[in-house]
Amino acid sequence: MKSLTFRPGRQDEAELFNEMTLAGVRFYDHPNPPPNDFADLAAMLEAGNPDEVITVAEHDGEVIGFYGLVVEDDFVELLRMFLAIDRIGRGYGRTLWRHAVESARRHGERLRILADPGARGFYEAMGAELDREVEAYPGFVLGLYWYELTDSA
């Protein structure tokens, strides 16, 4: 397991989260992205969602990833999870995932994930099961996954 420290995200880090998100989108070269699809992400993060808890992962004091969880009535939703692209494929994503799962377990029995095409293989490797596909816009299909939090990870 990679050595990471975790802490709550701060509102003043919204632009960093936005940059990491956009870098991830570019890294996976999503087809036909709608204009300004992520343009409001920074403003949304700066405004805050009282229901979302953002957790930051750091390695040697550098922010290398983050995730956001929202507790719903019947499940916990992994609203977002991004890793710095220079850390992809080096084990950090697995460590970030494990922390997210442990955090979610404190609040529910099921984790819902709406995964973009670039992340679907990762979530499947982590044990999430595809429920159905959702076309976000023409040519861009997301996977709706569930992960049972009562199972051992």
Side-chain angles (χ1 to χ4, degrees), residues 4-7 55-59 62-67 96:
L4 298 178
T5 57
F6 296 92
R7 63 169 175 79
T55 300
V56 169
E58 294 181 333
H59 183 258
E62 176 188 358
V63 175
I64 59 103
F66 70 99
Y67 65 86
L96 186 62

Side-chain angles (χ1 to χ4, degrees), residues 21-149:
T21 301
L22 291 173
V25 168
R26 285 189 299 271
F27 181 79
Y28 288 110
D29 194 26
H30 293 309
N32 306 318
N36 302 318
D37 191 39
F38 292 97
D40 293 331
L41 180 63
M44 181 180 67
L45 291 169
E46 286 170 2
N49 175 346
D51 299 326
E52 181 182 11
V53 176
I54 294 179
T55 300
V56 169
E58 294 181 333
H59 183 258
D60 293 334
E62 176 188 358
V63 175
I64 59 103
F66 70 99
Y67 65 86
L69 295 176
V70 175
V71 178
E72 301 289 352
D73 290 337
D74 298 330
F75 58 87
V76 180
E77 182 161 19
L78 181 63
L79 195 57
R80 66 185 101 249
M81 187 167 103
F82 286 93
L83 190 64
I85 60 170
D86 65 338
R87 304 302 173 114
I88 294 172
R90 298 172 53 192
Y92 294 99
R94 183 178 300 272
T95 303
L96 186 62
W97 165 259
R98 287 182 180 147
H99 193 273
V101 165
E102 287 307 312
S103 296
R105 275 195 176 118
R106 292 191 284 271
H107 303 286
E109 296 182 358
R110 298 178 78 203
L111 182 65
R112 183 172 80 172
I113 308 145
L114 194 59
D116 69 51
R120 289 176 67 166
F122 172 79
Y123 292 119
E124 289 170 7
M126 297 298 100
E129 294 189 15
L130 180 65
D131 180 352
R132 65 183 180 273
E133 293 184 331
V134 178
E135 189 170 39
Y137 55 87
F140 190 69
V141 179
L142 303 172
L144 176 62
Y145 287 85
W146 292 98
Y147 183 81
E148 297 300 323
L149 296 168

Side-chain angles (χ1 to χ4, degrees), residues 13-23 38-39 41-42 45 66:
E13 293 174 308
E15 188 57 38
L16 173 61
F17 302 152
N18 189 50
E19 290 170 12
M20 290 178 76
T21 301
L22 291 173
F38 292 97
L41 180 63
L45 291 169
F66 70 99

